[in-house]
Amino acid sequence: MIGKIIALLFILIGVTFVFDARILSDHWFGFGDQNEATSGLKILGFLFSMIGAIILYVLQ
């Protein structure tokens, strides 16, 4: 049960990073090139989502 909750949290964080990448990069980073930070956060969010989905699939 705890593993499933952790996997769902990974998926939640990943989806949040993908959809709010522009807002998060503007809030967290103050340098001029926002596009690189945004694409990095989207990639990181995708990886978090995939890791969470794999964990959830294995635990079922």
Side-chain angles (χ1 to χ4, degrees):
M1 187 69 180
I2 294 174
K4 288 182 182 181
I5 292 173
I6 291 172
L8 289 174
L9 284 175
F10 266 93
I11 294 171
L12 176 72
I13 291 169
V15 169
T16 303
F17 276 7
V18 169
F19 284 113
D20 292 338
R22 179 75 59 187
I23 297 167
L24 292 173
S25 67
D26 187 36
H27 181 70
W28 287 344
F29 307 113
F31 55 89
D33 194 11
Q34 294 290 328
N35 291 331
E36 288 184 20
T38 302
S39 64
L41 282 175
K42 286 186 178 189
I43 291 170
L44 184 67
F46 176 75
L47 291 176
F48 272 10
S49 297
M50 287 298 107
I51 290 170
I54 290 170
I55 292 171
L56 193 63
Y57 179 74
V58 168
L59 291 178
Q60 284 187 354

